[in-house]
Amino acid sequence: MVRLTSLVGQGGCACKIGPHLLASMLSQVEGVTNSDVLTDMTGSDDAGVYRIAPDMALVQTIDFFTPIVDDPYIFGTIAAANSLSDIYAMGGKPLTTMNVLAVPMVLMEEKQVERILNGAMAVVKQAGAVAIGGHSIENPIPVFGLSVTGVVNPRSIWKNSGAMVGDALILTKPIGTGIMSTALKGNLFTKGTEEAIHSMCTLNQTATEVMSHYTVHACTDITGFGLMGHAYEMAYNSSVSVQLRFSCIPLFSDVVKAARMGLVPAATYGNRKASSGIFIKNDMEPTWGDICFDPQTSGGLLIAIPRHEVDSCVKSLHQSGVIHAAYIGDVIKRQGKNLVIVE
């Protein structure tokens, strides 16, 4: 069997184009739109939304990446969960999926592609969606993901631009998948890597269902730009500042130890280049910055809700099985920096 990660340089969402480069590129692209487009590529939202009726809109996304693990079935599972996450982050319900597949022939010969697809199909079924097709090409570097179409009420779209002063921020999964994936390549920190794989394979479906009973002002999922990057986007787009408390952020076991050993993905440093609007206390250990900038794959949701709802919300998430959900920070009046990290 071919080790999938041996065929790539960076795996999972760590292979994404950095936020500063992406923003520069998109600023030179003239989009095509009309009045029924409710979100598009001009913002930082997780999916596009197109209104088809007064009470219904399509939520559309596409996500794909290179292998982050060697097991083909688990790779397919993670890729599918990650793709579906964009629909959940908008408050939507996934309906249909299509496969996006690019693989070298050796994976076909070794029957590994079938395992990738079967891993993905298991997750699509769990989400209550259906697979209706896809496209495949031969490529020396393996890439897999899904395009997903879902539905949402146009009056109930969760964007990353509605956070309000006084809101509390909830994170539904631990962070550190990039660091733990690097550790996995060296067969280090078994407990933490197993936790990270389990988390990446887990849908954000339950979290979205719980959150639908609360007042969601803003939401995004934490993926390739790291907790720092996505929290910054929420703060910037909402014209507020966000204060995160590092000590409250849920982490996988041994993430701090792994980061201190330097097991940090290269994309972490690309994420740092887009950090001009972020302030980290000078007396904080530099390793903590590496963890917060760590590119996440199939990460949790970051949700802004009214402060008076946070205790009930976190309790409901825990009771529903989202056991790592945590209140990690607050939305405050806009200051010199959009994102402030404290202990």
Side-chain angles (χ1 to χ4, degrees), residues 7-52:
L7 301 174
V8 303
Q10 298 183 78
C13 288
C15 69
K16 290 177 67 172
I17 295 173
H20 59 301
L21 297 174
L22 182 62
S24 176
M25 176 184 67
L26 291 178
S27 69
Q28 305 301 312
V29 177
E30 183 177 351
V32 180
T33 188
N34 64 35
S35 60
D36 287 315
V37 175
L38 305 183
T39 69
D40 61 17
M41 65 181 183
T42 58
S44 305
D45 285 299
D46 297 293
V49 180
Y50 187 86
R51 181 173 48 216
I52 58 174

Side-chain angles (χ1 to χ4, degrees), residues 43-45 160-162 232-240 338:
S44 305
D45 285 299
N160 72 351
S161 56
Y232 171 79
E233 286 181 340
M234 180 181 288
Y236 180 83
N237 292 330
S238 303
S239 299
V240 297
N338 285 105

Side-chain angles (χ1 to χ4, degrees), residues 30 78 288 308 318 343:
E30 183 177 351
I78 293 171
W288 295 358
H308 68 270
H318 290 172
E343 290 188 66

Side-chain angles (χ1 to χ4, degrees), residues 125-141:
K125 182 177 180 180
Q126 181 183 350
V130 294
I132 59 173
H135 187 67
S136 59
I137 63 170
E138 185 179 348
N139 195 59
I141 299 175

Side-chain angles (χ1 to χ4, degrees), residues 209-289:
E209 291 171 351
V210 171
M211 295 309 305
S212 68
H213 298 289
Y214 292 87
T215 310
V216 176
H217 288 156
C219 182
T220 187
D221 63 341
I222 307 303
T223 55
F225 299 161
L227 176 60
M228 291 283 217
H230 291 288
Y232 171 79
E233 286 181 340
M234 180 181 288
Y236 180 83
N237 292 330
S238 303
S239 299
V240 297
S241 289
V242 162
Q243 180 172 280
L244 299 182
R245 294 185 298 277
F246 184 84
S247 60
C248 297
I249 296 171
L251 304 174
F252 299 114
S253 298
D254 298 319
V255 163
V256 175
K257 291 181 181 178
R260 286 171 178 164
M261 289 176 60
L263 301 175
V264 179
T268 300
Y269 305 106
N271 286 341
R272 280 186 178 275
K273 291 181 180 179
S275 63
S276 59
I278 299 174
F279 173 75
I280 305 176
K281 287 182 62 178
N282 293 331
D283 58 348
M284 289 181 66
E285 182 180 352
T287 297
W288 295 358

Side-chain angles (χ1 to χ4, degrees), residues 169-177 179 195 222 226-229 231 242-256 278-280 284 287-294 296 299-302 318 323-330 339-343:
L169 291 172
I170 295 173
L171 181 63
T172 63
K173 287 185 181 181
I175 65 170
T177 63
I179 292 169
E195 291 173 358
I222 307 303
L227 176 60
M228 291 283 217
V242 162
Q243 180 172 280
L244 299 182
R245 294 185 298 277
F246 184 84
S247 60
C248 297
I249 296 171
L251 304 174
F252 299 114
S253 298
D254 298 319
V255 163
V256 175
I278 299 174
F279 173 75
I280 305 176
M284 289 181 66
T287 297
W288 295 358
D290 290 338
I291 293 170
C292 288
F293 280 113
D294 182 44
Q296 302 302 287
L301 301 179
L302 180 68
H318 290 172
I323 60 174
H324 296 290
Y327 165 36
I328 67 166
D330 298 281
L339 181 59
V340 178
I341 310 296
V342 299
E343 290 188 66

